[in-house]
Amino acid sequence: MEQENFTLRVTEFVLLGLTQSPQLKQFLFILFSIVYLTTWLGNVLIITTVISDHQLHTPMYFLLANLAFIDISDATVSVPKMLLGLLSQSKTISFNQCILQMFFFHFIAGAMVFLLVVMAADRYVAIHKPLQYLTIMNRGVCVGLVAGTWLGGLFHSSVQIVLILQLPFCGPNVLDNFYCDFPQVLKLACTDTYLFELLMVSQSGVLAIIIFILLLISYTIILVKIRTHLTEGKHKALSTCGTQITVLCLIFIPFIFIYARPFQKFTLDKVVSVLYTVITPMLNPMIYALRNAEMQKAIRRLMIRTLSSG
């Protein structure tokens, strides 16, 4: 009973946010509000286009629409709380809300990582087995793979949360960040966290490095296959793979920087956190829309239909 009371002493955390300057807060609030709105508009446009255009009812665009949904979810977990902190003087978050924010953030991030693996596998099948592609990547398989990505994210996040809930928190309760995340929260525990840090680094950072390297190797093999064997649709295939590699780097490089090292404070931590929680979800739909001619045509068809019906 005494230990239980000890672990319940901290009931809320204080988020220091991005800056303490009132003028800079106003500027950042306007800037990130625009970014968040653009994230929603861009990703909803991709989802709507894929759903409404029958020419995009293929495995690749089905997976792209799911990535767009994950981008919206990812930004929504952290950005609204950040905007609230920039707009008001309230900087606190309850212990339970903090745990939930960490759970959903890593749940969605885990699903995103596994979805990128599935997207790489989809491109591999499309290039190496073009005649059997639609048979192998049929609707049932695609739905099963996407469901698997969410289950993988759920498992990853649940392990992290179970580890963090084992720790006692008795103060201090100040987080030098704009959202709750394991590296900062773990440092506030009233016990030695070295073993927990190793477990979380291996479960997040090391795993991310391994997956990133394997994906780069996979795309290298795919690109070699495209250049040496593919004659028809070579430009389209190269553009699609180039787009996915760009998104891959935008997601994995910041993630590895934060989680693949001991949980120590670095000057660039907040900047990198902003990159993969705020900026990347906005850039993904732009990258896909700008580099994918088929998506551009489908968006134009959607706009024409919308204006005609209007």
Side-chain angles (χ1 to χ4, degrees):
M1 181 64 69
E2 182 179 351
Q3 177 67 21
E4 182 181 355
N5 292 333
F6 179 70
T7 61
L8 294 177
R9 287 182 185 177
V10 170
T11 59
E12 65 181 18
F13 293 102
V14 178
L15 297 171
L16 294 182
L18 293 173
T19 180
Q20 303 303 315
S21 169
Q23 292 78 18
L24 190 54
K25 279 185 176 182
Q26 293 177 3
F27 170 75
L28 291 177
F29 176 80
I30 296 172
L31 174 64
F32 290 135
S33 294
I34 295 172
V35 169
Y36 186 52
L37 180 61
T38 305
T39 299
W40 266 89
L41 292 176
N43 285 292
V44 168
L45 177 61
I46 283 182
I47 294 171
T48 305
T49 304
V50 172
I51 292 175
S52 62
D53 197 305
H54 291 286
Q55 295 184 33
L56 300 185
H57 288 182
T58 64
M60 184 183 79
Y61 290 105
F62 173 75
L63 298 175
L64 175 58
N66 279 275
L67 179 63
F69 175 76
I70 287 178
D71 281 331
I72 293 173
S73 305
D74 185 30
T76 302
V77 169
S78 56
V79 177
K81 183 65 178 178
M82 179 189 69
L83 293 176
L84 183 62
L86 291 171
L87 189 63
S88 67
Q89 297 300 318
S90 176
K91 298 180 180 179
T92 61
I93 182 171
S94 71
F95 182 86
N96 290 337
Q97 288 177 336
C98 185
I99 294 296
L100 282 175
Q101 189 177 53
M102 290 190 292
F103 170 78
F104 282 110
F105 180 77
H106 284 268
F107 175 30
I108 295 166
M112 181 186 295
V113 167
F114 292 122
L115 182 63
L116 291 173
V117 174
V118 172
M119 293 177 76
D122 170 74
R123 289 301 84 205
Y124 183 87
V125 174
I127 300 301
H128 284 77
K129 302 285 185 180
L131 298 179
Q132 294 85 28
Y133 171 61
L134 293 178
T135 303
I136 296 173
M137 297 295 293
N138 59 65
R139 176 176 290 274
V141 169
C142 288
V143 172
L145 289 173
V146 170
T149 65
W150 286 102
L151 288 175
L154 178 63
F155 175 77
H156 162 75
S157 183
S158 298
V159 170
Q160 304 270 46
I161 291 297
V162 168
L163 288 174
I164 207 79
L165 289 177
Q166 304 302 312
L167 300 173
F169 293 92
C170 56
N173 67 336
V174 179
L175 297 171
D176 189 15
N177 208 344
F178 57 93
Y179 69 105
C180 286
D181 201 5
F182 291 115
Q184 292 81 29
V185 173
L186 192 64
K187 286 297 185 182
L188 298 182
C190 303
T191 186
D192 181 20
T193 60
Y194 179 73
L195 179 60
F196 288 89
E197 287 186 42
L198 286 180
L199 290 172
M200 288 192 174
V201 167
S202 63
Q203 215 261 339
S204 294
V206 175
L207 183 62
I209 292 175
I210 294 172
I211 293 176
F212 185 48
I213 292 173
L214 291 176
L215 286 175
L216 289 180
I217 293 173
S218 299
Y219 277 110
T220 301
I221 295 172
I222 292 171
L223 290 174
V224 170
K225 174 73 173 181
I226 292 172
R227 287 188 176 276
T228 56
H229 294 87
L230 198 64
T231 54
E232 186 177 351
K234 176 180 288 189
H235 177 74
K236 178 182 175 181
L238 287 172
S239 177
T240 299
C241 288
T243 300
Q244 294 189 3
I245 291 171
T246 303
V247 171
L248 203 69
C249 293
L250 280 173
I251 292 171
F252 272 94
I253 292 176
F255 192 85
I256 290 171
F257 177 83
I258 294 293
Y259 299 105
R261 58 178 169 82
F263 294 157
Q264 299 174 356
K265 184 179 177 182
F266 282 81
T267 306
L268 289 176
D269 281 355
K270 285 186 182 180
V271 176
V272 175
S273 295
V274 168
L275 178 63
Y276 73 79
T277 60
V278 184
I279 305 301
T280 298
M282 176 194 69
L283 290 179
N284 285 350
M286 291 185 178
I287 293 170
Y288 277 106
L290 289 174
R291 292 182 60 91
N292 191 307
E294 194 171 2
M295 176 61 72
Q296 292 176 23
K297 293 177 183 178
I299 291 174
R300 284 196 290 268
R301 288 195 295 268
L302 176 63
M303 295 300 179
I304 292 172
R305 289 198 303 270
T306 303
L307 291 174
S308 299
S309 61

